[in-house]
Amino acid sequence: MILSRKLKDSISSKWMLACLSFCLLLPLAIGSGLVLKSLPLLQSHSLKELIFSEDWFPSDNQFGFWPFIVTSVWVTVLALIISIPLCLLSSIYLTQFAPKWVLKFMRPVIDILAGIPSVVYGVWGLLVIVPLVGDKIAPLFHQDSLGYSLLAGAIVLAVMSIPYILNMLLEVFRQIPVELGEASLSLGATKWETIKHIFIRKGSSGILSAFGLGFSKALGETIAVLMVIGNVPQIPQSMFDSGYTLPGLIANNYGEMMSIPSYDSALMFGALLLFVIIVIINIIFRYIIYKSELI
Amino acid sequence: MPSTIELKQETEVKVESIPAHVPIVKIDKLNVYSKGTHILKDVSTVIPKNKITVLLGPSGCGKTTLLKCLNRLTDLYPDLKINGSIKIDGEDIFDAGRDITTIRQKMGLLLQRPYPLPMSIYDNIAYGLKLKGIRKKKIVNAKVEKHLKEVALWDEVKDRLKTSAQRLSIGQQQRLCLARGLAVEPEIILADEPSSALDPISSKVIDEEFLRLKSDYTIILVTHSLRQAKRLGDNIIFMYYGEIVESGPAEQVFENPQSKILQEYLRVGH
């Protein structure tokens, strides 16, 4: 009896370790798989040329990824610029000012927003945001735009990332003890001063990880952006220009045009680039979070 | 104008009848309700200046609620309904026109557990000063040093003022919280079981601080520890189920308890 309990005890932790190792090995396996698959391309082209060249002519064996990298990063940053203030202010309002029932009401709303398939956001972007950008917003800035643009992609992405970022921020602000607010108020701070100096500071590492996760999610989003951004392999000169994101490139072309030599390998290299960008961004965010926790 | 005259007369009467017991807080018919529960029932009392007044009573009797009414932290809980009056230096804190931040700066708050602000040791103290508009570095530096010395923390932290306050031990944190409260130069210190989370030595330091500070401040201390009440209290307010059962000078309350419930509390507490 005792023996079997002890046995179960020792096995249980081993199983958990096995599961953990699997989770840890997964990114490693994916990364190395991508490297292996893109090796043929890397053998015939220099890394510098692949990353920084603007010429994307697969039929001429020219694979410059710079336009895709620029578009991907730009549309993601633009999306976060739109969604971060919205999420930050809403989460502060919901946790600090709104009556409790509003927060209770918002939770399922956020879950529903998160659960909408991205293709639905894409259709919405196509029907509403693209014409809005082309007919209303671009003329405001004296720009000509068909609407299929970075801005349209960014707006759709911003809306899609709101539920994720908002949900995490709500959790961050909910975990700040009430007493910390009481301490600040009792020193004569107003509510706004307390939020600005104490709550945001206390939650800074959580807030930053919310942004980091939002960035990774937005960078990898494929179908909704692909539907509204125009898919032109060029370096966009303004946010009203069309672009082509890395995920869009892969999704649009994989399995097609395989007659072109090294095309398959090039797409895999695109995936590898995406993977590397996400890893770099995560490391940067981790570093900032680590720095912010020292205070 | 009439109110100041009124206050003057009141004060004079008090000074005549019980000298050295100048009231600083007057609570009149204070009632607090939360969603149908009557938390404080017709609480009326006077808190004398430069004394340690102990709010004594079993858990859940409304001590903390009473304390939070005093600096209107009750504003944070929209479910609470409050009527009655609390006058501090003769001014009703529930008057709609009152600026709540200046009322709160009259009172330093010390909670059950220390909650250092998420910043450096130095900034924890400078925060309240900045809110008061004191920004000159020289003055802030001097005040930080003065108040850290006041709570006997200066020697322990003077070489690491810019490091995070979270890294201090819990006893040091609690003394820092006291210093941060003193820095805004309050008249009253509100303390809600300030040593309940501390080890005996840190808690003794806090107790000694209070005894020393009472010459400059009025201290209102919530506790359910009889020992602490006896050691520190000049004035005792014993509460039970939201009511003040008995109150008065410590010797009188402890030596000659009138109510059955206080007699029982004193007997069990020993």
Side-chain angles (χ1 to χ4, degrees):
Chain A
M1 180 66 185
I2 292 170
L3 206 71
S4 87
R5 282 178 67 203
K6 277 195 171 166
L7 195 69
K8 272 183 197 164
D9 192 43
S10 62
I11 291 176
S12 67
S13 68
K14 301 259 158 50
W15 267 113
M16 292 173 202
L17 182 67
C19 292
L20 176 69
S21 327
F22 181 72
C23 297
L24 289 175
L25 284 175
L26 213 52
L28 214 63
I30 294 174
S32 49
L34 290 176
V35 172
L36 272 179
K37 282 280 189 184
S38 44
L39 267 182
L41 188 74
L42 284 164
Q43 276 158 356
S44 55
H45 297 73
S46 80
L47 195 62
K48 192 179 154 206
E49 182 199 330
L50 287 174
I51 294 177
F52 294 109
S53 162
E54 292 174 27
D55 306 317
W56 181 259
F57 302 112
S59 44
D60 293 345
N61 201 21
Q62 282 186 316
F63 298 98
F65 278 92
W66 192 238
F68 303 97
I69 298 172
V70 171
T71 303
S72 289
V73 173
W74 195 349
V75 77
T76 302
V77 170
L78 211 56
L80 289 189
I81 289 174
I82 300 170
S83 67
I84 280 175
L86 280 174
C87 291
L88 204 53
L89 294 176
S90 328
S91 61
I92 290 172
Y93 180 77
L94 282 171
T95 51
Q96 306 300 324
F97 294 97
K100 281 204 181 96
W101 66 266
V102 180
L103 183 60
K104 266 191 196 148
F105 172 78
M106 274 309 286
R107 286 211 177 265
V109 173
I110 293 170
D111 288 347
I112 290 169
L113 278 177
I116 295 176
S118 55
V119 67
V120 177
Y121 281 105
V123 171
W124 168 75
L126 207 56
L127 296 177
V128 180
I129 301 302
V130 170
L132 184 76
V133 171
D135 303 339
K136 299 278 186 314
I137 302 178
L140 277 183
F141 292 84
H142 307 291
Q143 297 268 345
D144 260 343
S145 174
L146 291 171
Y148 292 95
S149 58
L150 285 190
L151 184 63
I155 293 174
V156 172
L157 261 187
V159 174
M160 290 177 72
S161 63
I162 282 173
Y164 293 96
I165 300 179
L166 190 57
N167 224 352
M168 283 185 69
L169 289 181
L170 285 177
E171 219 36 57
V172 169
F173 285 114
R174 251 169 30 90
Q175 279 176 5
I176 293 175
V178 195
E179 288 86 349
L180 199 63
E182 293 186 349
S184 169
L185 290 173
S186 73
L187 291 169
T190 60
K191 202 159 179 173
W192 172 241
E193 286 164 337
T194 300
I195 291 166
K196 198 170 73 174
H197 298 301
I198 307 299
F199 290 168
I200 292 194
R201 212 154 176 176
K202 181 80 182 170
S204 58
S205 57
I207 293 169
L208 284 169
S209 10
F211 295 168
L213 190 83
F215 194 102
S216 301
K217 269 220 70 90
L219 189 71
E221 172 49 38
T222 311
I223 191 76
V225 183
L226 181 149
M227 291 166 82
V228 301
I229 204 165
N231 303 329
V232 183
Q234 61 175 17
I235 294 183
Q237 300 304 315
S238 83
M239 59 181 180
F240 299 105
D241 278 357
S242 297
Y244 209 158
T245 62
L246 278 170
L249 172 76
I250 301 164
N252 260 352
N253 297 301
Y254 196 77
E256 292 177 24
M257 296 201 281
M258 288 306 172
S259 53
I260 302 173
S262 0
Y263 204 101
D264 171 45
S265 179
L267 291 180
M268 282 301 122
F269 181 73
L272 180 64
L273 276 178
L274 202 59
F275 187 78
V276 170
I277 294 174
I278 285 178
V279 170
I280 292 173
I281 293 295
N282 266 294
I283 290 172
I284 293 173
F285 269 100
R286 280 288 125 205
Y287 180 74
I288 305 174
I289 290 166
Y290 168 74
K291 279 280 173 197
S292 78
E293 276 171 352
L294 289 183
I295 293 298
Chain B
M1 246 349 224
S3 67
T4 40
I5 295 168
E6 219 176 76
L7 169 74
K8 225 175 175 180
Q9 283 171 343
E10 265 181 17
T11 322
E12 275 163 14
V13 171
K14 285 282 176 203
V15 170
E16 258 175 57
S17 55
I18 22 170
H21 278 229
V22 187
I24 186 163
V25 182
K26 274 192 77 165
I27 302 170
D28 202 27
K29 293 225 172 68
L30 183 70
N31 281 285
V32 177
Y33 307 85
S34 165
K35 290 182 187 162
T37 354
H38 202 167
I39 304 179
L40 290 180
K41 301 169 190 162
D42 260 338
V43 169
S44 299
T45 190
V46 170
I47 290 171
K49 200 171 173 161
N50 292 108
K51 300 276 174 205
I52 298 181
T53 296
V54 171
L55 297 181
L56 185 68
S59 304
C61 68
K63 299 172 302 216
T64 300
T65 308
L66 180 56
L67 200 74
K68 285 188 177 168
C69 284
L70 289 174
N71 68 354
R72 269 183 51 188
L73 280 180
T74 43
D75 290 6
L76 292 181
Y77 306 92
D79 289 337
L80 294 182
K81 292 215 167 26
I82 302 170
N83 58 55
S85 89
I86 296 179
K87 284 184 179 171
I88 293 177
D89 290 332
E91 295 176 315
D92 195 329
I93 63 164
F94 292 119
D95 265 4
R98 293 247 158 271
D99 174 22
I100 185 63
T101 58
T102 41
I103 293 173
R104 287 188 181 135
Q105 285 193 328
K106 284 186 173 185
M107 284 166 269
L109 178 70
L110 205 55
L111 294 161
Q112 285 191 17
R113 292 171 48 80
Y115 285 94
L117 306 174
M119 40 183 89
S120 69
I121 297 170
Y122 180 94
D123 286 337
N124 257 274
I125 301 202
Y127 180 70
L129 298 172
K130 281 186 185 140
L131 294 175
K132 278 187 112 175
I134 303 171
R135 281 170 193 278
K136 276 211 170 128
K137 211 147 177 112
K138 252 189 172 169
I139 302 177
V140 176
N141 285 343
K143 280 188 184 268
V144 168
E145 182 173 346
K146 179 187 159 196
H147 293 293
L148 283 175
K149 279 182 174 162
E150 207 169 8
V151 298
L153 197 59
W154 176 251
D155 289 330
E156 294 163 49
V157 302
K158 64 181 174 200
D159 300 323
R160 47 175 174 147
L161 289 174
K162 297 283 174 189
T163 58
S164 166
Q166 319 268 0
R167 294 201 207 161
L168 297 172
S169 76
I170 204 157
Q172 288 172 324
Q173 286 185 11
Q174 190 65 309
R175 276 183 280 154
L176 179 70
C177 290
L178 180 59
R180 146 186 105 185
L182 297 177
V184 293
E185 284 168 1
E187 297 169 34
I188 306 172
I189 297 170
L190 308 174
D192 187 2
E193 298 183 32
S195 39
S196 62
L198 303 185
D199 62 275
I201 294 173
S202 304
S203 103
K204 196 174 157 230
V205 173
I206 294 275
D207 284 0
E208 281 165 1
E209 284 311 315
F210 280 166
L211 288 173
R212 222 169 43 73
L213 289 170
K214 74 173 176 181
S215 53
D216 297 321
Y217 304 92
T218 302
I219 296 168
I220 304 174
L221 171 70
V222 164
T223 185
H224 53 224
S225 149
L226 253 184
R227 255 196 301 160
Q228 199 181 27
K230 284 189 173 167
R231 201 163 50 221
L232 300 179
D234 299 308
N235 191 40
I236 306 291
I237 296 174
F238 180 72
M239 295 181 70
Y240 194 71
Y241 279 113
E243 280 176 290
I244 295 186
V245 180
E246 243 173 278
S247 67
E251 320 83 69
Q252 179 196 314
V253 170
F254 287 134
E255 296 306 322
N256 195 10
Q258 301 296 309
S259 60
K260 272 232 164 75
I261 182 70
L262 180 55
Q263 287 166 6
E264 175 77 4
Y265 196 81
L266 292 174
R267 195 175 58 76
V268 177
H270 267 292

